[in-house]
Amino acid sequence: MKKITIAIDGFSSCGKSTMAKALARNIGYLYFDSGAMYRAVALYCMQNGLIGSKGIDTATLQERISQIHITFEADPETKNSITFLNGVNVEHEIRTIEVSQLVSKVAALDFVRSEMVNQQREMGKSKGIVMDGRDIGTTVFPDAEMKVFVTASAEVRAKRRYDELAARGDNPDYNEILENVQLRDHLDQTREVSPLKQADDALLLDNSGMTREEQMEWLIDVYKKIASEC
Ligand code: DC
């Protein structure tokens, strides 16, 4: 079957990455986490003194943006994707709460987005990839053969996040989580540059009432149909 490009976009906390990773593993494709790239740029700002009392030093970041290279490698044991920032493994650091709080500001900067989009297109040159994010089907790969837009109700996503945190032994507050999910939806959808929106030719996957197995079955069916017609 011909190799295609698969773009998976959607709201935060709807299981996009888990789904995209599992799909890539299932069909032997490479997986790329575009959100990790914005997180790595946020980490770069923190590590290089670009966060001051007035916020991000955007002038310096803009000067240096072309020197920020994000790459991915598979962990030899787990096969999970590891994020590298200029050759250094930052997979753990980019998942901290500090990075999570900063990343949406970094991801809203147009010069950051255009550099990341260039790097993402380079990664997708040889096809056979699954990339997840917010603007993959609309901006990064508008010609992707398979586009999926994932959503679930804010309440379902907040409950899933709540269960994850509770399972880790935390003492989460459901209403606080729900508010955070709703706020992130608003920020993602109203951002000036590349806001989150369903591409006209993307298939909608509302996974509110679906199990992981049902989702995977749906994705594989769609993939087989599209790839065999290419
Ligand atoms: O999916 P995530 O939570 O790791 O994404 C981190 C941030 O990056 C989040 O604020 C949304 C943003 N993002 C984006 O603007 N465009 C993408 N293609 C991927 C993520």
Side-chain angles (χ1 to χ4, degrees), residues 28-50:
Y29 273 29
L30 292 173
Y31 164 69
F32 294 99
D33 175 354
S34 69
M37 300 176 73
Y38 293 99
R39 288 174 177 272
V41 177
L43 181 68
Y44 178 93
C45 294
M46 286 161 55
Q47 289 178 335
N48 290 276
L50 302 191

Short mmCIF file of all heavy atoms in Angstrom, two decimals, residues 28-50:
data_model
loop_
_atom_site.label_atom_id
_atom_site.label_comp_id
_atom_site.label_asym_id
_atom_site.label_seq_id
_atom_site.Cartn_x
_atom_site.Cartn_y
_atom_site.Cartn_z
N GLY A 28 2.92 0.58 11.37
CA GLY A 28 4.35 0.69 11.04
C GLY A 28 4.76 2.06 10.52
O GLY A 28 5.66 2.18 9.69
N TYR A 29 4.10 3.12 10.99
CA TYR A 29 4.42 4.49 10.59
C TYR A 29 5.24 5.16 11.70
O TYR A 29 5.24 4.71 12.85
CB TYR A 29 3.13 5.30 10.36
CG TYR A 29 2.54 5.19 8.98
CD1 TYR A 29 2.71 4.05 8.21
CD2 TYR A 29 1.78 6.24 8.45
CE1 TYR A 29 2.15 3.96 6.94
CE2 TYR A 29 1.22 6.15 7.18
CZ TYR A 29 1.40 5.01 6.43
OH TYR A 29 0.85 4.93 5.19
N LEU A 30 5.88 6.29 11.36
CA LEU A 30 6.59 7.07 12.37
C LEU A 30 5.59 8.04 13.01
O LEU A 30 4.72 8.58 12.32
CB LEU A 30 7.72 7.88 11.74
CG LEU A 30 8.91 7.08 11.19
CD1 LEU A 30 9.86 8.01 10.44
CD2 LEU A 30 9.64 6.38 12.34
N TYR A 31 5.76 8.26 14.30
CA TYR A 31 4.86 9.16 15.02
C TYR A 31 5.58 10.45 15.41
O TYR A 31 6.71 10.39 15.92
CB TYR A 31 4.32 8.47 16.28
CG TYR A 31 3.71 9.44 17.27
CD1 TYR A 31 2.52 10.09 16.96
CD2 TYR A 31 4.33 9.73 18.48
CE1 TYR A 31 1.98 11.01 17.84
CE2 TYR A 31 3.79 10.65 19.37
CZ TYR A 31 2.61 11.28 19.03
OH TYR A 31 2.07 12.20 19.90
N PHE A 32 4.96 11.59 15.18
CA PHE A 32 5.54 12.87 15.58
C PHE A 32 4.53 13.67 16.41
O PHE A 32 3.39 13.87 15.98
CB PHE A 32 5.94 13.70 14.35
CG PHE A 32 7.06 13.08 13.57
CD1 PHE A 32 6.80 12.33 12.43
CD2 PHE A 32 8.38 13.21 13.98
CE1 PHE A 32 7.83 11.74 11.72
CE2 PHE A 32 9.42 12.62 13.28
CZ PHE A 32 9.14 11.88 12.15
N ASP A 33 5.00 14.14 17.56
CA ASP A 33 4.17 14.88 18.51
C ASP A 33 4.49 16.37 18.35
O ASP A 33 5.48 16.86 18.88
CB ASP A 33 4.54 14.36 19.92
CG ASP A 33 3.87 15.11 21.03
OD1 ASP A 33 3.19 16.11 20.77
OD2 ASP A 33 4.04 14.69 22.19
N SER A 34 3.65 17.09 17.59
CA SER A 34 3.99 18.50 17.33
C SER A 34 3.89 19.36 18.59
O SER A 34 4.59 20.36 18.73
CB SER A 34 3.13 19.07 16.20
OG SER A 34 1.79 19.19 16.62
N GLY A 35 3.02 18.96 19.53
CA GLY A 35 2.91 19.72 20.78
C GLY A 35 4.23 19.69 21.55
O GLY A 35 4.61 20.68 22.20
N ALA A 36 4.94 18.56 21.46
CA ALA A 36 6.23 18.43 22.15
C ALA A 36 7.22 19.46 21.61
O ALA A 36 8.11 19.93 22.33
CB ALA A 36 6.79 17.02 21.95
N MET A 37 7.07 19.84 20.35
CA MET A 37 8.01 20.80 19.75
C MET A 37 7.79 22.19 20.35
O MET A 37 8.74 22.90 20.67
CB MET A 37 7.82 20.83 18.24
CG MET A 37 8.09 19.45 17.62
SD MET A 37 7.79 19.37 15.86
CE MET A 37 9.17 20.30 15.20
N TYR A 38 6.50 22.57 20.52
CA TYR A 38 6.22 23.87 21.15
C TYR A 38 6.66 23.85 22.61
O TYR A 38 7.15 24.84 23.15
CB TYR A 38 4.74 24.23 20.99
CG TYR A 38 4.41 24.49 19.54
CD1 TYR A 38 3.81 23.51 18.75
CD2 TYR A 38 4.76 25.70 18.95
CE1 TYR A 38 3.56 23.73 17.40
CE2 TYR A 38 4.51 25.93 17.61
CZ TYR A 38 3.91 24.94 16.84
OH TYR A 38 3.69 25.17 15.51
N ARG A 39 6.48 22.70 23.25
CA ARG A 39 6.93 22.56 24.64
C ARG A 39 8.45 22.72 24.72
O ARG A 39 8.97 23.35 25.64
CB ARG A 39 6.52 21.19 25.19
CG ARG A 39 5.03 21.06 25.45
CD ARG A 39 4.64 19.65 25.87
NE ARG A 39 3.23 19.60 26.16
CZ ARG A 39 2.71 19.88 27.37
NH1 ARG A 39 3.50 20.11 28.39
NH2 ARG A 39 1.41 19.86 27.56
N ALA A 40 9.17 22.16 23.74
CA ALA A 40 10.64 22.25 23.76
C ALA A 40 11.10 23.70 23.56
O ALA A 40 12.08 24.14 24.18
CB ALA A 40 11.23 21.33 22.69
N VAL A 41 10.38 24.45 22.75
CA VAL A 41 10.74 25.87 22.57
C VAL A 41 10.49 26.63 23.88
O VAL A 41 11.30 27.48 24.29
CB VAL A 41 9.96 26.52 21.40
CG1 VAL A 41 10.30 28.01 21.28
CG2 VAL A 41 10.25 25.80 20.09
N ALA A 42 9.39 26.29 24.56
CA ALA A 42 9.11 26.94 25.86
C ALA A 42 10.24 26.61 26.84
O ALA A 42 10.73 27.49 27.57
CB ALA A 42 7.76 26.46 26.40
N LEU A 43 10.68 25.36 26.84
CA LEU A 43 11.78 24.96 27.73
C LEU A 43 13.06 25.72 27.38
O LEU A 43 13.78 26.17 28.27
CB LEU A 43 12.01 23.44 27.62
CG LEU A 43 13.10 22.88 28.51
CD1 LEU A 43 12.70 22.96 29.99
CD2 LEU A 43 13.43 21.42 28.14
N TYR A 44 13.31 25.88 26.08
CA TYR A 44 14.49 26.64 25.64
C TYR A 44 14.46 28.04 26.26
O TYR A 44 15.47 28.53 26.77
CB TYR A 44 14.53 26.73 24.10
CG TYR A 44 15.69 27.54 23.58
CD1 TYR A 44 16.88 26.93 23.22
CD2 TYR A 44 15.60 28.93 23.48
CE1 TYR A 44 17.97 27.69 22.77
CE2 TYR A 44 16.66 29.69 23.03
CZ TYR A 44 17.84 29.06 22.68
OH TYR A 44 18.91 29.82 22.24
N CYS A 45 13.30 28.68 26.23
CA CYS A 45 13.16 30.03 26.80
C CYS A 45 13.49 30.02 28.28
O CYS A 45 14.19 30.90 28.79
CB CYS A 45 11.73 30.56 26.62
SG CYS A 45 11.28 30.82 24.92
N MET A 46 12.99 29.01 28.99
CA MET A 46 13.24 28.93 30.43
C MET A 46 14.71 28.68 30.73
O MET A 46 15.28 29.25 31.65
CB MET A 46 12.39 27.80 31.05
CG MET A 46 10.92 28.16 31.14
SD MET A 46 9.84 26.72 31.34
CE MET A 46 10.53 25.96 32.77
N GLN A 47 15.35 27.83 29.92
CA GLN A 47 16.74 27.46 30.19
C GLN A 47 17.73 28.54 29.78
O GLN A 47 18.88 28.53 30.19
CB GLN A 47 17.09 26.18 29.41
CG GLN A 47 16.42 24.94 29.95
CD GLN A 47 16.76 23.71 29.11
OE1 GLN A 47 17.09 23.81 27.93
NE2 GLN A 47 16.66 22.54 29.73
N ASN A 48 17.28 29.47 28.92
CA ASN A 48 18.22 30.46 28.38
C ASN A 48 17.91 31.89 28.82
O ASN A 48 18.30 32.85 28.15
CB ASN A 48 18.26 30.36 26.86
CG ASN A 48 18.93 29.07 26.41
OD1 ASN A 48 20.15 28.99 26.32
ND2 ASN A 48 18.13 28.04 26.19
N GLY A 49 17.21 32.02 29.92
CA GLY A 49 16.95 33.34 30.50
C GLY A 49 16.08 34.22 29.63
O GLY A 49 16.22 35.45 29.64
N LEU A 50 15.16 33.63 28.85
CA LEU A 50 14.31 34.46 27.99
C LEU A 50 12.95 34.75 28.62
O LEU A 50 12.05 35.28 27.95
CB LEU A 50 14.12 33.79 26.62
CG LEU A 50 15.38 33.47 25.82
CD1 LEU A 50 15.04 33.06 24.40
CD2 LEU A 50 16.32 34.69 25.77
#
